[in-house]
Amino acid sequence: MDLATIWDIQQLLKRFGIFVYIGERKTNLEMMEVEIKDLYESNLIDMQDYQKAVLLLRREIQLENNSGRTGDKE
């Protein structure tokens, strides 16, 4: 499966009846990572899809962390 965007990951989760919406983007991304891990540990997705999804989610989480830093230097 081609996992290039967060939307792709959402579609993968949706195939298993998993819908993640908490309201805060970073929290949504973190919960998606937990769900992806659970799918992998249950042998429902392969290692390649697991790795792609986790890398993408962690990159997006890092971007969210960095976007929250405004005015750190004065």
Side-chain angles (χ1 to χ4, degrees), residues 3-60:
L3 297 172
T5 66
I6 296 300
W7 187 83
D8 295 332
I9 294 171
Q10 289 172 319
Q11 296 309 302
L12 173 64
L13 292 171
K14 189 175 167 183
R15 285 181 25 207
F16 295 97
I18 300 168
F19 297 85
V20 175
Y21 183 76
I22 297 171
E24 183 181 307
R25 180 164 168 77
K26 182 181 171 193
T27 307
N28 287 343
L29 295 168
E30 292 168 341
M31 182 55 81
M32 282 189 255
E33 184 177 345
V34 169
E35 295 293 349
I36 289 291
K37 183 179 179 187
D38 287 345
L39 290 173
Y40 175 68
E41 289 176 350
S42 299
N43 294 316
L44 296 171
I45 62 173
D46 63 25
M47 182 184 294
Q48 187 176 10
D49 286 342
Y50 169 72
Q51 289 174 334
K52 283 185 202 177
V54 168
L55 285 173
L56 179 58
L57 288 165
R58 288 183 182 169
R59 185 182 77 205
E60 289 294 318

